[in-house]
Structures are given as structure tokens and as C-alpha cells.
Amino acid sequence: MNELHTLHILNKTPDHPRFGECLGMLGPDDAIVLIENGVLGLAAAEGFHSARVYALRDDVAARGLSGSTQATSLVDYSEWVGLTLQAERVISW
């Protein structure tokens, strides 16, 4: 069995309804990757419960958020692909 149950890929801003829906669906064996405008939700990292939180390094840098990543692991594109291979399923939000 894979290490991750579900990998959630979130590209919505925190004010988008799907951002909250995604947070509500996170399970204890899940992980979330914040990409594109989803990285704007880094300030809400404590709302991700016990899920592992990752953010795409290039998107964080592009939005000037490098100082907001203490509760988050930054990943590059190849590490993101590796996470998808570890997951039983992947959901894009």
C-alpha cells in the first residue's frame, strides 16, 4: 500500500469556495500541494490539520512568499511528481 492515501493539489485562492472544500476533505493520511494561487493560502497552514503540506517552490517565489513557509515543505516539479507516485489517488482542486 502507498504511503499517501490522497494527494490534494490545490490551485485556488483562500477566498475561493473550493479552498475550504479541500481543507474539509483532508484526512490524516493525506497530503496537500499548494500550486499557482493556492500558495496564497500558506498563512492558513494551521487549518490543514494533520495533513502534510507542500508548496511548489517556483510559485511561492513568484508571489514573494518565501518567508511564509515555516509549516510547509517546498518542492520542485520532480518532487511533486514523486508525491503523485506515492499517493493512492490524486485530486486536483
Side-chain angles (χ1 to χ4, degrees):
M1 188 156 117
N2 291 334
E3 185 177 321
L4 291 176
H5 183 266
T6 303
L7 178 66
H8 300 266
I9 300 170
L10 180 60
N11 71 347
K12 306 294 186 245
T13 59
D15 61 342
H16 193 284
R18 288 210 178 165
F19 192 93
E21 290 175 31
C22 177
L23 294 185
M25 296 295 294
L26 289 174
D29 296 325
D30 294 351
I32 184 168
V33 178
L34 302 173
I35 64 167
E36 300 168 357
N37 284 334
V39 301
L40 298 174
L42 286 172
E46 57 277 353
F48 297 129
H49 309 296
S50 62
R52 290 170 274 180
V53 181
Y54 302 91
L56 193 59
R57 180 178 285 110
D58 289 347
D59 290 339
V60 169
R63 286 155 182 84
L65 300 172
S66 297
S68 305
T69 61
Q70 56 274 32
T72 307
S73 297
L74 297 180
V75 294
D76 61 23
Y77 289 100
S78 64
E79 292 167 319
W80 178 17
V81 170
L83 289 170
T84 65
L85 295 174
Q86 293 177 31
E88 291 179 30
R89 66 183 185 159
V90 176
I91 300 175
S92 293
W93 297 87

